[in-house]
Amino acid sequence: FKDNLECLNIDKCYKVTDASLNLLVHCSKLRILKITSCWRVNDMSVRRIVDACKELKQVAMDDCRSITKTLMFDLNEKGILLLEAGKGTSEKWDQSENYLKRMFHFRNMLANYCC
């Protein structure tokens, strides 16, 4: 499967851990990853996947309780579109006007995608 996997949706798999996600570093064609509500996943495993999967363009990680906004900024800097980004992350979102201006592109979410 690792040579053909392009989209993976493990939405609401509460028991998925970083160790299990690390298997995805071998999926060179992965383009879209949805890990919404995977509560045990943290920044480190997402960074490993992003670094290894050069085709990755979209990540959904809403309600991942161990994901920080620092990771979200970093993914944005790499040109990765964050789907459903922001809700339920471990750090409180600053609601200031400057913050909203910087994060405007995070509001452009896709309603339909292949996962």
Side-chain angles (χ1 to χ4, degrees):
F1 79 94
K2 68 177 182 155
D3 296 326
N4 296 317
L5 185 66
E6 292 184 22
C7 299
L8 180 64
N9 181 352
I10 51 175
D11 183 27
K12 296 182 183 157
C13 293
Y14 305 109
K15 294 184 180 183
V16 168
T17 64
D18 289 318
S20 55
L21 264 191
N22 284 334
L23 296 172
L24 296 178
V25 299
H26 304 291
C27 300
S28 60
K29 293 183 180 179
L30 187 65
R31 295 181 301 109
I32 300 172
L33 176 63
K34 187 172 183 184
I35 55 173
T36 301
S37 297
C38 292
W39 295 343
R40 302 168 106 191
V41 172
N42 68 32
D43 290 8
M44 183 76 77
S45 60
V46 175
R47 285 183 196 281
R48 279 190 203 114
I49 293 166
V50 168
D51 290 343
C53 302
K54 302 301 182 193
E55 299 296 317
L56 189 63
K57 301 297 180 210
Q58 301 173 9
V59 177
M61 52 189 178
D62 181 41
D63 196 30
C64 288
R65 297 175 179 184
S66 297
I67 298 292
T68 65
K69 70 179 179 183
T70 301
L71 175 66
M72 292 183 178
F73 283 121
D74 292 348
L75 294 181
N76 179 61
E77 289 296 314
K78 291 181 182 243
I80 295 175
L81 178 63
L82 298 180
L83 309 170
E84 305 171 47
K87 302 175 192 172
T89 56
S90 64
E91 296 178 61
K92 296 287 184 188
W93 288 95
D94 174 11
Q95 297 300 312
S96 71
E97 183 176 3
N98 286 337
Y99 178 76
L100 292 176
K101 286 179 184 175
R102 286 192 323 260
M103 299 301 292
F104 176 76
H105 46 277
F106 284 152
R107 293 176 157 210
N108 297 322
M109 297 178 280
L110 296 178
N112 296 310
Y113 52 100
C114 68
C115 289

PDB file of all heavy atoms in Angstrom, residues 22-50:
ATOM      1  N   ASN A  22       3.885   7.094  12.319  1.00  0.00           N
ATOM      2  CA  ASN A  22       5.229   7.104  11.740  1.00  0.00           C
ATOM      3  C   ASN A  22       5.372   6.126  10.580  1.00  0.00           C
ATOM      4  O   ASN A  22       6.283   6.271   9.761  1.00  0.00           O
ATOM      5  CB  ASN A  22       6.278   6.824  12.818  1.00  0.00           C
ATOM      6  CG  ASN A  22       6.497   8.035  13.688  1.00  0.00           C
ATOM      7  OD1 ASN A  22       6.287   9.169  13.269  1.00  0.00           O
ATOM      8  ND2 ASN A  22       6.916   7.806  14.913  1.00  0.00           N
ATOM      9  N   LEU A  23       4.483   5.163  10.476  1.00  0.00           N
ATOM     10  CA  LEU A  23       4.506   4.247   9.334  1.00  0.00           C
ATOM     11  C   LEU A  23       4.255   4.978   8.021  1.00  0.00           C
ATOM     12  O   LEU A  23       4.651   4.512   6.958  1.00  0.00           O
ATOM     13  CB  LEU A  23       3.472   3.144   9.521  1.00  0.00           C
ATOM     14  CG  LEU A  23       3.699   2.201  10.698  1.00  0.00           C
ATOM     15  CD1 LEU A  23       2.498   1.293  10.873  1.00  0.00           C
ATOM     16  CD2 LEU A  23       4.976   1.408  10.507  1.00  0.00           C
ATOM     17  N   LEU A  24       3.612   6.130   8.101  1.00  0.00           N
ATOM     18  CA  LEU A  24       3.275   6.876   6.889  1.00  0.00           C
ATOM     19  C   LEU A  24       4.482   7.524   6.224  1.00  0.00           C
ATOM     20  O   LEU A  24       4.390   7.961   5.079  1.00  0.00           O
ATOM     21  CB  LEU A  24       2.235   7.956   7.215  1.00  0.00           C
ATOM     22  CG  LEU A  24       0.882   7.436   7.685  1.00  0.00           C
ATOM     23  CD1 LEU A  24      -0.033   8.601   8.030  1.00  0.00           C
ATOM     24  CD2 LEU A  24       0.244   6.544   6.635  1.00  0.00           C
ATOM     25  N   VAL A  25       5.607   7.584   6.906  1.00  0.00           N
ATOM     26  CA  VAL A  25       6.790   8.208   6.292  1.00  0.00           C
ATOM     27  C   VAL A  25       7.246   7.437   5.055  1.00  0.00           C
ATOM     28  O   VAL A  25       7.998   7.979   4.236  1.00  0.00           O
ATOM     29  CB  VAL A  25       7.963   8.366   7.298  1.00  0.00           C
ATOM     30  CG1 VAL A  25       7.562   9.248   8.457  1.00  0.00           C
ATOM     31  CG2 VAL A  25       8.481   7.029   7.756  1.00  0.00           C
ATOM     32  N   HIS A  26       6.777   6.224   4.884  1.00  0.00           N
ATOM     33  CA  HIS A  26       7.137   5.419   3.720  1.00  0.00           C
ATOM     34  C   HIS A  26       6.157   5.569   2.565  1.00  0.00           C
ATOM     35  O   HIS A  26       6.331   4.940   1.524  1.00  0.00           O
ATOM     36  CB  HIS A  26       7.234   3.941   4.120  1.00  0.00           C
ATOM     37  CG  HIS A  26       8.198   3.719   5.229  1.00  0.00           C
ATOM     38  ND1 HIS A  26       9.549   3.866   5.078  1.00  0.00           N
ATOM     39  CD2 HIS A  26       7.998   3.390   6.529  1.00  0.00           C
ATOM     40  CE1 HIS A  26      10.149   3.622   6.221  1.00  0.00           C
ATOM     41  NE2 HIS A  26       9.230   3.341   7.122  1.00  0.00           N
ATOM     42  N   CYS A  27       5.143   6.401   2.732  1.00  0.00           N
ATOM     43  CA  CYS A  27       4.109   6.604   1.709  1.00  0.00           C
ATOM     44  C   CYS A  27       4.477   7.829   0.873  1.00  0.00           C
ATOM     45  O   CYS A  27       3.980   8.937   1.097  1.00  0.00           O
ATOM     46  CB  CYS A  27       2.741   6.768   2.358  1.00  0.00           C
ATOM     47  SG  CYS A  27       2.249   5.328   3.323  1.00  0.00           S
ATOM     48  N   SER A  28       5.321   7.622  -0.092  1.00  0.00           N
ATOM     49  CA  SER A  28       5.893   8.729  -0.859  1.00  0.00           C
ATOM     50  C   SER A  28       4.873   9.494  -1.703  1.00  0.00           C
ATOM     51  O   SER A  28       5.108  10.651  -2.055  1.00  0.00           O
ATOM     52  CB  SER A  28       7.015   8.223  -1.755  1.00  0.00           C
ATOM     53  OG  SER A  28       6.517   7.258  -2.658  1.00  0.00           O
ATOM     54  N   LYS A  29       3.734   8.890  -2.019  1.00  0.00           N
ATOM     55  CA  LYS A  29       2.722   9.560  -2.842  1.00  0.00           C
ATOM     56  C   LYS A  29       1.604  10.220  -2.035  1.00  0.00           C
ATOM     57  O   LYS A  29       0.670  10.780  -2.605  1.00  0.00           O
ATOM     58  CB  LYS A  29       2.110   8.571  -3.826  1.00  0.00           C
ATOM     59  CG  LYS A  29       3.105   8.095  -4.872  1.00  0.00           C
ATOM     60  CD  LYS A  29       2.441   7.189  -5.870  1.00  0.00           C
ATOM     61  CE  LYS A  29       3.453   6.742  -6.903  1.00  0.00           C
ATOM     62  NZ  LYS A  29       2.859   5.839  -7.890  1.00  0.00           N
ATOM     63  N   LEU A  30       1.701  10.171  -0.720  1.00  0.00           N
ATOM     64  CA  LEU A  30       0.649  10.733   0.131  1.00  0.00           C
ATOM     65  C   LEU A  30       0.485  12.230  -0.147  1.00  0.00           C
ATOM     66  O   LEU A  30       1.443  12.995  -0.086  1.00  0.00           O
ATOM     67  CB  LEU A  30       0.994  10.518   1.605  1.00  0.00           C
ATOM     68  CG  LEU A  30      -0.083  10.904   2.613  1.00  0.00           C
ATOM     69  CD1 LEU A  30      -1.324  10.010   2.446  1.00  0.00           C
ATOM     70  CD2 LEU A  30       0.451  10.787   4.031  1.00  0.00           C
ATOM     71  N   ARG A  31      -0.740  12.630  -0.510  1.00  0.00           N
ATOM     72  CA  ARG A  31      -1.048  14.028  -0.822  1.00  0.00           C
ATOM     73  C   ARG A  31      -1.962  14.668   0.212  1.00  0.00           C
ATOM     74  O   ARG A  31      -1.872  15.846   0.483  1.00  0.00           O
ATOM     75  CB  ARG A  31      -1.731  14.149  -2.191  1.00  0.00           C
ATOM     76  CG  ARG A  31      -0.891  13.752  -3.362  1.00  0.00           C
ATOM     77  CD  ARG A  31      -1.629  13.911  -4.699  1.00  0.00           C
ATOM     78  NE  ARG A  31      -2.856  13.108  -4.754  1.00  0.00           N
ATOM     79  CZ  ARG A  31      -4.092  13.619  -4.728  1.00  0.00           C
ATOM     80  NH1 ARG A  31      -4.295  14.905  -4.657  1.00  0.00           N
ATOM     81  NH2 ARG A  31      -5.148  12.826  -4.767  1.00  0.00           N
ATOM     82  N   ILE A  32      -2.888  13.872   0.757  1.00  0.00           N
ATOM     83  CA  ILE A  32      -3.892  14.399   1.685  1.00  0.00           C
ATOM     84  C   ILE A  32      -3.958  13.487   2.909  1.00  0.00           C
ATOM     85  O   ILE A  32      -4.089  12.279   2.776  1.00  0.00           O
ATOM     86  CB  ILE A  32      -5.283  14.489   1.030  1.00  0.00           C
ATOM     87  CG1 ILE A  32      -5.231  15.413  -0.188  1.00  0.00           C
ATOM     88  CG2 ILE A  32      -6.317  14.985   2.036  1.00  0.00           C
ATOM     89  CD1 ILE A  32      -6.510  15.422  -1.003  1.00  0.00           C
ATOM     90  N   LEU A  33      -3.868  14.092   4.075  1.00  0.00           N
ATOM     91  CA  LEU A  33      -3.914  13.344   5.329  1.00  0.00           C
ATOM     92  C   LEU A  33      -4.947  13.986   6.240  1.00  0.00           C
ATOM     93  O   LEU A  33      -4.885  15.181   6.525  1.00  0.00           O
ATOM     94  CB  LEU A  33      -2.542  13.366   6.000  1.00  0.00           C
ATOM     95  CG  LEU A  33      -2.450  12.709   7.375  1.00  0.00           C
ATOM     96  CD1 LEU A  33      -2.770  11.215   7.287  1.00  0.00           C
ATOM     97  CD2 LEU A  33      -1.069  12.941   7.968  1.00  0.00           C
ATOM     98  N   LYS A  34      -5.899  13.185   6.682  1.00  0.00           N
ATOM     99  CA  LYS A  34      -6.911  13.675   7.613  1.00  0.00           C
ATOM    100  C   LYS A  34      -6.769  12.912   8.919  1.00  0.00           C
ATOM    101  O   LYS A  34      -7.048  11.716   8.979  1.00  0.00           O
ATOM    102  CB  LYS A  34      -8.321  13.504   7.048  1.00  0.00           C
ATOM    103  CG  LYS A  34      -9.369  14.154   7.929  1.00  0.00           C
ATOM    104  CD  LYS A  34     -10.734  14.173   7.288  1.00  0.00           C
ATOM    105  CE  LYS A  34     -11.712  14.891   8.196  1.00  0.00           C
ATOM    106  NZ  LYS A  34     -13.069  14.866   7.679  1.00  0.00           N
ATOM    107  N   ILE A  35      -6.301  13.602   9.951  1.00  0.00           N
ATOM    108  CA  ILE A  35      -6.109  13.001  11.275  1.00  0.00           C
ATOM    109  C   ILE A  35      -6.960  13.717  12.319  1.00  0.00           C
ATOM    110  O   ILE A  35      -6.607  13.780  13.485  1.00  0.00           O
ATOM    111  CB  ILE A  35      -4.621  12.993  11.677  1.00  0.00           C
ATOM    112  CG1 ILE A  35      -4.031  14.402  11.607  1.00  0.00           C
ATOM    113  CG2 ILE A  35      -3.838  12.010  10.828  1.00  0.00           C
ATOM    114  CD1 ILE A  35      -2.621  14.501  12.151  1.00  0.00           C
ATOM    115  N   THR A  36      -8.088  14.242  11.896  1.00  0.00           N
ATOM    116  CA  THR A  36      -8.991  14.953  12.786  1.00  0.00           C
ATOM    117  C   THR A  36      -9.379  14.086  13.985  1.00  0.00           C
ATOM    118  O   THR A  36      -9.705  12.916  13.824  1.00  0.00           O
ATOM    119  CB  THR A  36     -10.252  15.389  12.019  1.00  0.00           C
ATOM    120  OG1 THR A  36      -9.849  16.221  10.927  1.00  0.00           O
ATOM    121  CG2 THR A  36     -11.204  16.159  12.903  1.00  0.00           C
ATOM    122  N   SER A  37      -9.311  14.664  15.165  1.00  0.00           N
ATOM    123  CA  SER A  37      -9.674  14.006  16.429  1.00  0.00           C
ATOM    124  C   SER A  37      -8.802  12.798  16.757  1.00  0.00           C
ATOM    125  O   SER A  37      -9.241  11.886  17.438  1.00  0.00           O
ATOM    126  CB  SER A  37     -11.153  13.600  16.429  1.00  0.00           C
ATOM    127  OG  SER A  37     -11.968  14.747  16.336  1.00  0.00           O
ATOM    128  N   CYS A  38      -7.584  12.814  16.287  1.00  0.00           N
ATOM    129  CA  CYS A  38      -6.608  11.801  16.713  1.00  0.00           C
ATOM    130  C   CYS A  38      -5.870  12.410  17.901  1.00  0.00           C
ATOM    131  O   CYS A  38      -4.858  13.086  17.758  1.00  0.00           O
ATOM    132  CB  CYS A  38      -5.659  11.450  15.570  1.00  0.00           C
ATOM    133  SG  CYS A  38      -6.466  10.577  14.225  1.00  0.00           S
ATOM    134  N   TRP A  39      -6.388  12.202  19.068  1.00  0.00           N
ATOM    135  CA  TRP A  39      -5.978  12.918  20.270  1.00  0.00           C
ATOM    136  C   TRP A  39      -4.565  12.602  20.729  1.00  0.00           C
ATOM    137  O   TRP A  39      -3.958  13.367  21.462  1.00  0.00           O
ATOM    138  CB  TRP A  39      -6.955  12.635  21.400  1.00  0.00           C
ATOM    139  CG  TRP A  39      -8.331  13.152  21.132  1.00  0.00           C
ATOM    140  CD1 TRP A  39      -8.703  14.082  20.201  1.00  0.00           C
ATOM    141  CD2 TRP A  39      -9.527  12.771  21.796  1.00  0.00           C
ATOM    142  NE1 TRP A  39     -10.057  14.303  20.253  1.00  0.00           N
ATOM    143  CE2 TRP A  39     -10.588  13.507  21.230  1.00  0.00           C
ATOM    144  CE3 TRP A  39      -9.807  11.881  22.822  1.00  0.00           C
ATOM    145  CZ2 TRP A  39     -11.899  13.377  21.651  1.00  0.00           C
ATOM    146  CZ3 TRP A  39     -11.118  11.753  23.234  1.00  0.00           C
ATOM    147  CH2 TRP A  39     -12.149  12.500  22.664  1.00  0.00           C
ATOM    148  N   ARG A  40      -4.015  11.467  20.340  1.00  0.00           N
ATOM    149  CA  ARG A  40      -2.699  11.065  20.837  1.00  0.00           C
ATOM    150  C   ARG A  40      -1.566  11.440  19.881  1.00  0.00           C
ATOM    151  O   ARG A  40      -0.420  11.110  20.123  1.00  0.00           O
ATOM    152  CB  ARG A  40      -2.696   9.570  21.095  1.00  0.00           C
ATOM    153  CG  ARG A  40      -3.776   9.190  22.097  1.00  0.00           C
ATOM    154  CD  ARG A  40      -3.965   7.717  22.146  1.00  0.00           C
ATOM    155  NE  ARG A  40      -3.376   7.238  23.398  1.00  0.00           N
ATOM    156  CZ  ARG A  40      -3.186   5.973  23.662  1.00  0.00           C
ATOM    157  NH1 ARG A  40      -3.494   5.062  22.785  1.00  0.00           N
ATOM    158  NH2 ARG A  40      -2.667   5.613  24.812  1.00  0.00           N
ATOM    159  N   VAL A  41      -1.892  12.103  18.800  1.00  0.00           N
ATOM    160  CA  VAL A  41      -0.899  12.512  17.807  1.00  0.00           C
ATOM    161  C   VAL A  41      -0.342  13.875  18.193  1.00  0.00           C
ATOM    162  O   VAL A  41      -1.090  14.773  18.569  1.00  0.00           O
ATOM    163  CB  VAL A  41      -1.557  12.565  16.411  1.00  0.00           C
ATOM    164  CG1 VAL A  41      -0.621  13.164  15.387  1.00  0.00           C
ATOM    165  CG2 VAL A  41      -2.025  11.185  16.008  1.00  0.00           C
ATOM    166  N   ASN A  42       0.978  14.037  18.089  1.00  0.00           N
ATOM    167  CA  ASN A  42       1.564  15.337  18.414  1.00  0.00           C
ATOM    168  C   ASN A  42       2.373  15.894  17.246  1.00  0.00           C
ATOM    169  O   ASN A  42       2.456  15.282  16.185  1.00  0.00           O
ATOM    170  CB  ASN A  42       2.396  15.249  19.705  1.00  0.00           C
ATOM    171  CG  ASN A  42       3.632  14.409  19.558  1.00  0.00           C
ATOM    172  OD1 ASN A  42       4.236  14.344  18.496  1.00  0.00           O
ATOM    173  ND2 ASN A  42       4.012  13.745  20.627  1.00  0.00           N
ATOM    174  N   ASP A  43       2.957  17.044  17.473  1.00  0.00           N
ATOM    175  CA  ASP A  43       3.702  17.755  16.435  1.00  0.00           C
ATOM    176  C   ASP A  43       4.798  16.904  15.803  1.00  0.00           C
ATOM    177  O   ASP A  43       5.009  16.946  14.595  1.00  0.00           O
ATOM    178  CB  ASP A  43       4.352  19.018  17.010  1.00  0.00           C
ATOM    179  CG  ASP A  43       3.359  20.105  17.375  1.00  0.00           C
ATOM    180  OD1 ASP A  43       2.140  19.858  17.336  1.00  0.00           O
ATOM    181  OD2 ASP A  43       3.809  21.212  17.698  1.00  0.00           O
ATOM    182  N   MET A  44       5.516  16.157  16.613  1.00  0.00           N
ATOM    183  CA  MET A  44       6.683  15.413  16.142  1.00  0.00           C
ATOM    184  C   MET A  44       6.336  14.448  15.014  1.00  0.00           C
ATOM    185  O   MET A  44       7.016  14.414  13.986  1.00  0.00           O
ATOM    186  CB  MET A  44       7.325  14.649  17.301  1.00  0.00           C
ATOM    187  CG  MET A  44       8.572  13.912  16.902  1.00  0.00           C
ATOM    188  SD  MET A  44       9.986  14.992  16.694  1.00  0.00           S
ATOM    189  CE  MET A  44      10.395  15.259  18.400  1.00  0.00           C
ATOM    190  N   SER A  45       5.274  13.679  15.179  1.00  0.00           N
ATOM    191  CA  SER A  45       4.936  12.707  14.132  1.00  0.00           C
ATOM    192  C   SER A  45       4.444  13.397  12.865  1.00  0.00           C
ATOM    193  O   SER A  45       4.761  12.961  11.753  1.00  0.00           O
ATOM    194  CB  SER A  45       3.909  11.696  14.627  1.00  0.00           C
ATOM    195  OG  SER A  45       2.728  12.328  15.012  1.00  0.00           O
ATOM    196  N   VAL A  46       3.691  14.486  13.016  1.00  0.00           N
ATOM    197  CA  VAL A  46       3.221  15.214  11.832  1.00  0.00           C
ATOM    198  C   VAL A  46       4.424  15.807  11.096  1.00  0.00           C
ATOM    199  O   VAL A  46       4.500  15.747   9.860  1.00  0.00           O
ATOM    200  CB  VAL A  46       2.202  16.303  12.218  1.00  0.00           C
ATOM    201  CG1 VAL A  46       1.822  17.136  11.003  1.00  0.00           C
ATOM    202  CG2 VAL A  46       0.966  15.674  12.848  1.00  0.00           C
ATOM    203  N   ARG A  47       5.376  16.341  11.816  1.00  0.00           N
ATOM    204  CA  ARG A  47       6.596  16.883  11.185  1.00  0.00           C
ATOM    205  C   ARG A  47       7.353  15.793  10.419  1.00  0.00           C
ATOM    206  O   ARG A  47       7.834  16.035   9.310  1.00  0.00           O
ATOM    207  CB  ARG A  47       7.513  17.505  12.227  1.00  0.00           C
ATOM    208  CG  ARG A  47       7.039  18.837  12.730  1.00  0.00           C
ATOM    209  CD  ARG A  47       8.051  19.436  13.721  1.00  0.00           C
ATOM    210  NE  ARG A  47       7.468  20.502  14.477  1.00  0.00           N
ATOM    211  CZ  ARG A  47       7.305  21.744  14.022  1.00  0.00           C
ATOM    212  NH1 ARG A  47       7.685  22.053  12.810  1.00  0.00           N
ATOM    213  NH2 ARG A  47       6.759  22.661  14.799  1.00  0.00           N
ATOM    214  N   ARG A  48       7.467  14.614  10.989  1.00  0.00           N
ATOM    215  CA  ARG A  48       8.161  13.506  10.310  1.00  0.00           C
ATOM    216  C   ARG A  48       7.468  13.167   8.989  1.00  0.00           C
ATOM    217  O   ARG A  48       8.124  12.939   7.973  1.00  0.00           O
ATOM    218  CB  ARG A  48       8.195  12.272  11.201  1.00  0.00           C
ATOM    219  CG  ARG A  48       9.276  12.309  12.222  1.00  0.00           C
ATOM    220  CD  ARG A  48       9.420  10.940  12.908  1.00  0.00           C
ATOM    221  NE  ARG A  48      10.037  11.140  14.196  1.00  0.00           N
ATOM    222  CZ  ARG A  48       9.474  10.938  15.365  1.00  0.00           C
ATOM    223  NH1 ARG A  48       8.243  10.484  15.422  1.00  0.00           N
ATOM    224  NH2 ARG A  48      10.120  11.164  16.481  1.00  0.00           N
ATOM    225  N   ILE A  49       6.146  13.119   9.025  1.00  0.00           N
ATOM    226  CA  ILE A  49       5.382  12.795   7.822  1.00  0.00           C
ATOM    227  C   ILE A  49       5.577  13.876   6.768  1.00  0.00           C
ATOM    228  O   ILE A  49       5.824  13.590   5.598  1.00  0.00           O
ATOM    229  CB  ILE A  49       3.893  12.600   8.152  1.00  0.00           C
ATOM    230  CG1 ILE A  49       3.716  11.359   9.018  1.00  0.00           C
ATOM    231  CG2 ILE A  49       3.059  12.495   6.877  1.00  0.00           C
ATOM    232  CD1 ILE A  49       2.361  11.256   9.665  1.00  0.00           C
ATOM    233  N   VAL A  50       5.464  15.129   7.173  1.00  0.00           N
ATOM    234  CA  VAL A  50       5.623  16.247   6.241  1.00  0.00           C
ATOM    235  C   VAL A  50       7.019  16.234   5.617  1.00  0.00           C
ATOM    236  O   VAL A  50       7.174  16.441   4.411  1.00  0.00           O
ATOM    237  CB  VAL A  50       5.352  17.595   6.949  1.00  0.00           C
ATOM    238  CG1 VAL A  50       5.791  18.767   6.099  1.00  0.00           C
ATOM    239  CG2 VAL A  50       3.874  17.701   7.304  1.00  0.00           C
TER     240      VAL A  50
END
